[in-house]
Amino acid sequence: MSCQITTDPAIAAEVIRRGGLVALPTETVYGLGANAWDGEAVARIFAAKERPAFDPLIVHLPDIGAINQVATSIPAKALRLAEAFWPGPLTLVLPKQPAVSDLVTSGLPTVGVRVPRHPLMRAVLELAGVPIAAPSANRFGRLSPTTAEHVRDQLGDRIDLILDGGPCPVGVESTIVFIDGDAATVLRPGGLSNEAIAEIIGPVDIATGSSDRPAAPGMLASHYAPHTPIEIVNTPPAVRRGVRWGLLQFTPNNADGYAVIETLSVHGRLEEAAANFFAALHRLDHAGLDHIIATPFPEHGLGRALNDRLRRAATR
Ligand code: TXA
Ligand code: MG
């Protein structure tokens, strides 16, 4: 049985206030939201996603003014980033208020905080009047959802409601930044480019995680994984007869014999490619293919986040 779907943020806010689990549209990907102050509701997020307890949740706020509810302080560089990019696809890792439960932060002394830009998500935050803890609304390790249908397919029988806000315009998760004194580190590349961040606060470090020590908890080498095997190659090979292969490409290539081809941006625009990325992967994964070939993105702007997601999708 599948849950109810609505387009009314007031209904979504009411379910959140009553301790329910609601999938919410954000500009990056759909989140699985619950009242961050309600321990039982937060615990249900982990259960619904089959998410391990070591992987902390991002807390969403209506505006920068709400930050002292969840963080004890905000370093100068973090404040400048918040003022420049909120509401938007930026998560700041800040020292947490004791009121934020260890379940939300996986016992860390810090909390990930974001003010999202999507109008429906903002309406829910205003109407619910509580911070909303929300990871991406997919089963743990699986493809992130950028439409209400993606959420329904993975979690429809485990949650109370989906708020349908249409396809997510950015399409990749937020960029996570940790500021320690004067040092700024990008823990996860995402919908806000490193170049844009550097314009506001100068050069940033890029955390290089390994499989046993990820850059941020929960950032495992294998993630965003479709069921069909994916291989990343610079030039798509011709496909031999008798097999069904799919191609995920940034811009058009000469490609022969592919059963399904997903081209993310005909004119090579990374923003357009990001907005199409997860939906294209979901379609390829449902096309009954033996194998998916993917071409890499240029390693700048949103291309960095897309290459990161692609590598994790290709790792098993
Ligand atoms: O765009 C997004 O960020 C979406 C939407 C829903 O806001 N959310 C999202 O959440 O991508 P999730 O749970 O899929 O990824 C959150 C990641 C965690 O896996 C962890 O790596 C990092 O955020 N994180 C959260 N709190 C942290 C903390 N205190 N320190 C370091 N990393 C943290
Ligand atoms: Mg996620």
Side-chain angles (χ1 to χ4, degrees):
M1 212 199 69
S2 204
C3 68
Q4 196 196 335
I5 300 186
T6 182
T7 55
D8 183 353
I11 297 176
E14 185 55 31
V15 175
I16 297 265
R17 259 204 311 266
R18 286 209 230 108
L21 290 193
V22 183
L24 299 163
T26 84
E27 69 278 21
T28 58
V29 301
Y30 276 73
L32 180 56
N35 176 356
W37 300 135
D38 182 336
E40 235 174 85
V42 170
R44 285 182 58 213
I45 293 180
F46 283 87
K49 282 190 56 124
E50 298 170 41
R51 182 180 178 104
F54 61 74
D55 193 359
L57 307 181
I58 293 173
V59 176
H60 298 74
L61 302 174
D63 52 57
I64 202 170
I67 208 155
N68 53 14
Q69 293 179 26
V70 295
T72 53
S73 62
I74 176 159
K77 277 188 175 175
L79 185 59
R80 275 157 63 201
L81 289 178
E83 284 171 347
F85 299 118
W86 280 352
L90 166 73
T91 295
L92 292 168
V93 172
L94 301 171
K96 86 171 185 84
Q97 284 285 5
V100 179
S101 84
D102 283 338
L103 193 54
V104 170
T105 64
S106 303
L108 295 171
T110 54
V111 58
V113 182
R114 175 162 113 79
V115 175
R117 186 163 66 208
H118 196 290
L120 284 189
M121 178 66 170
R122 293 176 62 74
V124 174
L125 283 161
E126 291 289 344
L127 294 166
V130 292
I132 295 179
S136 51
N138 50 278
R139 294 199 192 189
F140 184 72
R142 293 287 157 201
L143 289 177
S144 297
T146 55
T147 65
E149 292 70 41
H150 295 160
V151 179
R152 190 197 52 206
D153 290 349
Q154 287 197 44
L155 296 174
D157 55 346
R158 301 176 174 199
I159 65 180
D160 299 307
L161 182 68
I162 299 174
L163 178 61
D164 188 349
C168 302
V170 174
V172 284
E173 295 86 344
S174 61
T175 302
I176 303 178
V177 181
F178 175 54
I179 311 269
D180 188 13
D182 209 39
T185 308
V186 172
L187 302 181
R188 176 178 73 180
L192 179 67
S193 72
N194 293 358
E195 290 88 341
I197 291 171
E199 266 179 41
I200 303 295
I201 58 165
V204 290
D205 292 330
I206 298 163
T208 47
S210 59
S211 51
D212 52 338
R213 232 184 68 83
M219 290 262 298
L220 305 180
S222 171
H223 212 116
Y224 312 104
H227 296 279
T228 320
I230 294 199
E231 189 185 344
I232 306 169
V233 298
N234 288 318
T235 311
V239 180
R240 65 172 197 277
R241 293 171 75 91
V243 295
R244 270 179 68 78
W245 282 19
L247 177 62
L248 180 72
Q249 57 184 358
F250 175 36
T251 52
N253 288 280
N254 288 322
D256 281 334
Y258 288 86
V260 185
I261 296 182
E262 292 281 354
T263 304
L264 297 178
S265 176
V266 169
H267 299 294
R269 289 183 48 241
L270 286 165
E271 285 73 17
E272 184 184 14
N276 291 330
F277 179 76
F278 279 119
L281 265 178
H282 279 278
R283 282 193 296 270
L284 287 166
D285 204 24
H286 287 101
L289 301 167
D290 308 309
H291 201 68
I292 299 170
I293 294 287
T295 58
F297 300 87
E299 187 68 14
H300 60 78
L302 292 195
R304 231 179 245 120
L306 290 168
N307 282 330
D308 170 81
R309 305 303 186 270
L310 200 52
R311 276 194 297 273
R312 291 177 208 278
T315 304
R316 28 197 70 225

